[in-house]
Amino acid sequence: QVQLVQSGAEVKKPGASVKVSCKASGYTFTNYEINWVRQATGQGLEWMGWINPNSGDTGLAQNFQGRVTMTRDTSISTAYMELSSLRSEDTAVYYCARSKGDYSSIWYAIPESWGQGTLVTVSS
Amino acid sequence: DIVMTQSPDSLAVSLGERATINCKSSQSILYRSDNKNYLAWYQQKPGQPPKLLIYWASTRESGVPDRFSGSGSGTDFTLTISSLQAEDVAVYFCQQYYATPRGFGQGTRLEIK
């Protein structure tokens, strides 16, 4: 079955960077888009961007352009989201989510299977 | 960017009654070439990731109870729970996947009256 397992919680100081991983299993990693979404405590969902694990192409929300890097390592079926210049407002749970369908389907852009989330705390 | 706005922010409904949540996009998310509305609805319970309920505005995800339904087209959409059950207490989000950035609505908190 499809599984996305994310890395553990992180505590970072303002100005630092964090890199969250999302290890996929149960399907062909390169065929399905991965989205990254974050959620501050008690707040809504904030879409950050997508990565095409096959090509490495990304599409990012403007809010994060210049601060976020999305990459992947196809040899270990893992996607990464790195956020730099952290500030307290970046404290949130970060989720990866795989699309419902592969790139040959009409469902390629619909997040369906989600990781468990990674809490990133930014505090001095 | 397409902005998604939900209403109301919170809603209290009696068990067995109908719950209706609205979502409005700042521009049409109906793709003319395939006549599909690029809108999804998610349910999120505390401490859990979101769960996909509905996509293409009205297609129920496999395993989702048929008391959940989605409707609407263009810019105005609705999620309806026909007969509220206790397990439906959650926060509900809409999301457009028509264009990047694929924003979410701010969420609607659904409680039991």
Side-chain angles (χ1 to χ4, degrees):
Chain A
Q1 76 282 19
V2 174
Q3 262 198 312
L4 299 173
V5 178
Q6 298 184 223
S7 48
E10 304 261 14
V11 179
K12 296 291 184 180
K13 293 196 183 304
S17 296
V18 68
K19 191 171 186 178
V20 178
S21 68
C22 172
K23 182 167 178 60
S25 62
Y27 71 97
T28 302
F29 176 67
T30 50
N31 288 357
Y32 292 76
E33 184 180 90
I34 293 285
N35 282 242
W36 288 91
V37 175
R38 76 177 185 180
Q39 185 172 39
T41 302
Q43 302 301 307
L45 301 171
E46 185 175 16
W47 186 83
M48 300 179 69
W50 55 259
I51 182 167
N52 178 328
N54 185 43
S55 65
D57 290 343
T58 60
L60 304 176
Q62 191 120 21
N63 290 355
F64 299 99
Q65 296 219 5
R67 280 210 305 144
V68 71
T69 305
M70 294 180 186
T71 58
R72 88 292 187 217
D73 184 340
T74 58
S75 70
I76 55 172
S77 300
T78 300
Y80 301 92
M81 187 285 301
E82 184 170 19
L83 188 61
S84 62
S85 304
L86 289 169
R87 34 205 188 231
S88 58
E89 310 90 89
D90 294 318
T91 294
V93 174
Y94 289 75
Y95 292 104
C96 61
R98 193 207 79 165
S99 59
K100 178 174 175 61
D102 65 22
Y103 282 103
S104 67
S105 77
I106 59 173
W107 305 280
Y108 77 90
I110 306 169
E112 180 189 48
S113 302
W114 294 67
Q116 83 277 17
T118 297
L119 175 62
V120 175
T121 303
V122 183
S123 173
S124 54
Chain B
D1 294 1
I2 299 174
V3 177
M4 307 301 290
T5 305
Q6 290 181 230
S7 62
D9 289 335
S10 64
L11 181 62
V13 174
S14 301
L15 289 172
E17 296 300 304
R18 178 185 299 260
T20 301
I21 298 170
N22 301 300
C23 175
K24 188 174 183 67
S25 57
S26 61
Q27 64 189 72
S28 177
I29 53 175
L30 171 64
Y31 194 37
R32 295 287 180 190
S33 67
D34 59 13
N35 199 36
K36 290 185 181 302
N37 289 282
Y38 282 52
L39 182 102
W41 287 97
Y42 295 87
Q43 174 193 67
Q44 188 180 32
K45 297 181 179 180
Q48 297 182 17
K51 174 188 174 183
L52 178 64
L53 294 178
I54 285 170
Y55 53 95
W56 304 130
S58 60
T59 301
R60 203 178 302 114
E61 173 77 330
S62 175
V64 173
D66 61 7
R67 63 180 181 272
F68 290 91
S69 64
S71 62
S73 185
T75 60
D76 292 279
F77 302 91
T78 300
L79 174 69
T80 301
I81 307 172
S82 60
S83 176
L84 189 71
Q85 305 300 302
E87 60 265 32
D88 301 333
V89 169
V91 181
Y92 292 84
F93 297 92
C94 60
Q95 186 202 18
Q96 64 83 13
Y97 47 96
Y98 180 90
T100 294
R102 300 176 191 163
F104 290 88
Q106 79 276 18
T108 296
R109 184 173 302 275
L110 178 59
E111 299 171 334
I112 304 293
K113 187 186 291 183

